[in-house]
Structures are given as C-alpha cells and as structure tokens.
Amino acid sequence: MNSLKQMFGGNTRQFGMIFALIALILFFQWQTGGNTLTPTNVINLFNGNAYILILAIGMVLVIIAGHIDLSVGSVAAFSGVVVAIVIRDWGIPWYLGIVVGLLLGALIGAWQGFWVAYVGIPAFIVTLAGMLLFRGANQYVGESNTIPVPQAFQYIGAGYLPEVGPVTGYNNLTVLLGLLAVAFFVYQEFRSRRKAAQLGSQLPPLWVSVTKLVLLSAAILYVTSLFATGRPGTSFPIPGLILAVLVIIFAFVSNKTVLGRHVYAVGGNRHAAELSGVQSKRVNFMVMMNMSILASLAGMIFVGRSTASGPFDGVGWELDAIAAVFIGGAAVTGGVGTVIGSVIGGLVMAVLNNGLQLMGIGADMTQIIKGLVLLIAVAFDVYNKSQGKPSITGLLTRNFGSRSKPDPTPYGSSQTEQPVGTKEKISHDV
C-alpha cells in the first residue's frame, strides 16, 4: 500500500480530477457503444475545444491574480473579424494577418489592463464593459456579415500534421510526437529519482517507478494511435499542437519564473506581496494583456476551423473558460490554480459535452448537467477545505509542478509547506 501511494505521488486522491476524466471517458465509451474513443471523435473533440482550452490557460492566470475576465469571447470575436477583413481587403499574407491579430489582442489587453492596474477599477467591471464594447465592435466592423478567410489561414484551426516518410499505416509525425512525450516522462521520472538520491531522500522501489511509467506510456501511446490512424488526411491537429506548446510555456512561466511567483503572490495576499517588493500593478497589467492576446489567438483558431468570421462568434466562451479553471482547482479568492489543472478541467467539460451529444441528449439537458457538474465539483472542493481535508483538485494542482524548494522528506511524499510569514500563504498549494 505504501508503494502504491508513492506511485501516485503520496496520495491517490491527488489525481481525483484525472480519475474523474478517465471515468467519464469510460462511461461514455460504454453508453455510446464505443463511439467515444474512435479516432474521428477524439480528433474532432480536440479540434472543437482547443480554443476554449487556450482561453483557460490565460484565464487561470487572471483568476490566480484575483481577477475575472468576462470579455474574452468578445475580444476573440473582434480579433477574428478584424483579421478576416485585413486579409481580404488589404491583401496581406495569412501569417501577417495572425501577427495583426496578436498585436490587436495586446492592444486590447493593454487598454483593459490599464483600467484594472493603474486606475483601480475592478476587473469584473472593466471586462464587463469590454464584453459589450468589443461585441458591438465585432458587429460594427463586420457589418454583422460572415467574412471568409483563405484556405491557408484555415490551417491553424483545421489543419493536421502532414504525412512524411515511409508508408506505415500511421501518421509518422504523430507517432514521433507520442514517442517524444514518452521519452520526456521517462527522463523526468529518473531525473527526479536521481535528485532525490542526491538529497538523501528515501527512494521508492524501482518497480514503482517502472509501473507508473508503463501505465503512463501505455496511455500516451494509445492516444497517439488514435490520432495517427484517423481517416485519410487527418492526424494530430494543429490546434492541439498549438495548445501543447502553450501548456508547456505557461506551465514553465507560472511555476519557474519570477513573474509566475509574483502572480501567485498578488493573488494570495496583495498587500504582503507589495511589502515584499512585488509590483502588483505591473503583474495585474501583464495578466490582463496576456489574456487578451490568448483570446485573439483562440478567436483566430476558431475562425480558421469554421472557415469564416461571423457576428455570433465567441458567445459564451468566457463562461466555458471560467468553468474549466474552477473545475481544474482554482480558487475564487485567487492565489490557487495551475495551467495543467485548468486544461484537465476543460477536458472534463469537453468530454462531458461530447459524450452527451453522442448519447443524443438535447442542448437543454446538456446545459443543466454541465451546470450541476461545475457546482458539485467546486462545492465538494470547498467542503473538503472547510473540514481541513486536502482538496482533491488542490492536491492535483500541487502535484503538477509546485514551486517549493527541494524537500528532504521521502521521495514522492506530499508534505504541505509551512506559512511564509504572511497572514495568507503566498502559494498555489492548498
């Protein structure tokens, strides 16, 4: 039993959200007669939800900092229509259109960040105004029309890794990505064991690490096979590749950089952070601007997938992104959350939505079920915290890349850090 706990990082409950995701997938696989885990459905699921997961990456940083952004759907729609018009009317290449969209997102983010960080207006109010402002701007600039984009631009939203190399029956680049992912996790596991040995920590039996790696590698290779064996012309989607790159970048930024530590510090206790030398205004400005840049990217990916920009793009996206973040373990009060947890929360909502559609459940009941899932997930987490028990989603977020210093406790244990001298703990641990 001790080795089993070590296999799961010291506490099997810390993977509660991953277990919930797996349980959902297996349930819908059973209820839909095996249609959930088919290459076509898995590819469509990632293509259809990549833009929401990208929004969740930016939203989690906003929420960790203690804010909320209600404008992301409208910003995404506005950027999408502007890029579509610029490409169509100015005749610029599609890749310059993407640059224009990202710059527009940065400008919008700087506008909203200025009001939040330097004027002191709550982000809820600023972004509520932004939601109305940019929704109207989308319809004004696009004249409430559908504006198509060229086929080259559609690649970022509906493209796939190309076929290269010999004919193997699989998409070779997708297989290569899967093998690289396996190699990365194997390297990380044995690197952790080596560091633990150098610190003199107690190591779990080698078979524990090997078993964990075998299970993880099997899961990765199975998913890789689904992407690599889809219908002709499909493989791992480009939106999924963009999402993976963003997850790696922002997980590193939030866990390993000064800016990331400052975001958690400001969200945990702004006044204590300022006394420690953190420039809270700059942090708030940066997280708001980053959110709008990612919203613009999400809008362009959606336009690429749908082949055109429309007047109703982005409606309700902010709610899906916020739901993903809270299901992924973020706290309403700020200071808690991770990029990985938010992506997993978004996948839970995506699988739930997809499975209900495959089962033929109507849109009305789908919304009801999704609302109840969000409420129950957060209520259960809050109850655990109020009882002094470990938060399942909090343990999940702690497991994936905490910023604590090396701990000479036994390898794989999950000890909670001691307070750092402020009224509230400046950390994303729960």
Side-chain angles (χ1 to χ4, degrees):
M1 180 59 69
N2 220 16
S3 298
L4 183 62
K5 287 184 178 181
Q6 289 176 327
M7 185 182 302
F8 292 102
N11 193 320
T12 56
R13 291 182 300 169
Q14 65 189 296
F15 289 97
M17 194 53 61
I18 292 181
F19 291 154
L21 177 60
I22 295 173
L24 272 178
I25 293 173
L26 295 178
F27 172 77
F28 287 125
Q29 177 75 353
W30 168 52
Q31 288 293 316
T32 61
N35 290 328
T36 298
L37 290 178
T38 62
T40 299
N41 187 63
V42 171
I43 291 172
N44 288 339
L45 188 146
F46 268 81
N47 266 338
N49 293 278
Y51 63 94
I52 295 296
L53 299 178
I54 289 173
L55 290 177
I57 293 173
M59 187 66 74
V60 69
L61 297 179
V62 172
I63 290 175
I64 289 170
H67 305 296
I68 201 80
D69 193 334
L70 300 177
S71 68
V72 294
S74 297
V75 172
F78 179 59
S79 296
V81 72
V82 168
V83 170
I85 291 175
V86 163
I87 293 176
R88 183 193 65 181
D89 295 347
W90 294 7
I92 66 173
W94 64 271
Y95 50 86
L96 289 183
I98 294 176
V99 174
V100 169
L102 294 177
L103 291 176
L104 179 60
L107 183 62
I108 293 172
W111 161 263
Q112 299 195 128
F114 167 77
W115 291 104
V116 173
Y118 297 103
V119 180
I121 301 176
F124 181 90
I125 302 300
V126 172
T127 58
L128 177 60
M131 180 176 68
L132 301 174
L133 193 160
F134 296 111
R135 173 60 54 191
N138 163 259
Q139 297 178 350
Y140 175 78
V141 171
E143 299 179 343
S144 297
N145 293 323
T146 299
I147 302 172
V149 291
Q151 186 173 1
F153 186 86
Q154 296 172 19
Y155 187 73
I156 68 168
Y160 300 94
L161 293 178
E163 297 284 352
V164 297
V167 178
T168 61
Y170 297 88
N171 179 268
N172 294 328
L173 287 180
T174 301
V175 173
L176 178 61
L177 279 180
L179 294 175
L180 289 175
V182 170
F184 171 78
F185 284 111
V186 171
Y187 168 77
Q188 285 291 98
E189 177 66 20
F190 285 100
R191 179 171 174 264
S192 297
R193 288 181 64 91
R194 185 173 63 252
K195 284 190 172 182
Q198 291 172 351
L199 291 171
S201 301
Q202 180 182 350
L203 292 172
L206 181 60
W207 71 265
V208 171
S209 294
V210 172
T211 302
K212 180 167 63 174
L213 288 173
V214 168
L215 293 174
L216 182 59
S217 299
I220 293 173
L221 293 177
Y222 176 70
V223 173
T224 299
S225 70
L226 292 178
F227 284 114
T229 57
R231 67 181 185 274
T234 64
S235 60
F236 192 76
I238 297 301
L241 187 61
I242 295 173
L243 174 65
V245 171
L246 290 175
V247 167
I248 293 171
I249 292 173
F250 281 92
F252 175 81
V253 169
S254 62
N255 293 323
K256 303 296 183 181
T257 66
V258 172
L259 177 60
R261 290 193 292 270
H262 286 182
V263 172
Y264 282 103
V266 169
N269 190 320
R270 181 174 62 85
H271 297 297
E274 290 175 346
L275 291 174
S276 300
V278 176
Q279 298 180 0
S280 61
K281 291 182 179 179
R282 180 185 177 187
V283 169
N284 291 330
F285 180 85
M286 292 298 294
V287 295
M288 297 304 295
M289 184 167 71
N290 175 72
M291 179 72 261
S292 291
I293 293 173
L294 291 180
S296 294
L297 176 60
M300 289 186 286
I301 288 175
F302 180 82
V303 168
R305 183 172 186 268
S306 58
T307 72
S309 170
F312 299 108
D313 292 351
V315 174
W317 290 8
E318 59 278 346
L319 303 181
D320 290 331
I322 292 169
V325 172
F326 286 134
I327 289 177
V332 179
T333 53
V336 176
T338 63
V339 171
I340 297 292
S342 298
V343 171
I344 293 174
L347 288 175
V348 168
M349 296 297 284
V351 169
L352 182 64
N353 194 58
N354 176 261
L356 292 173
Q357 289 179 352
L358 290 176
M359 290 175 62
I361 304 298
D364 49 357
M365 286 303 300
T366 297
Q367 295 298 322
I368 292 173
I369 294 172
K370 288 169 64 178
L372 289 174
V373 168
L374 172 61
L375 183 61
I376 292 171
V378 176
F380 184 67
D381 216 38
V382 170
Y383 173 76
N384 276 341
K385 293 174 187 176
S386 68
Q387 298 298 309
K389 301 176 182 178
S391 160
I392 289 178
T393 50
L395 284 169
L396 171 67
T397 60
R398 182 173 66 201
N399 183 66
F400 284 97
S402 66
R403 298 185 312 278
S404 57
K405 295 180 180 179
D407 189 355
T409 52
Y411 173 81
S413 65
S414 54
Q415 298 289 334
T416 304
E417 296 179 21
Q418 297 298 316
V420 294
T422 61
K423 184 176 180 181
E424 297 179 37
K425 187 173 73 171
I426 303 176
S427 172
H428 67 292
D429 291 347
V430 177

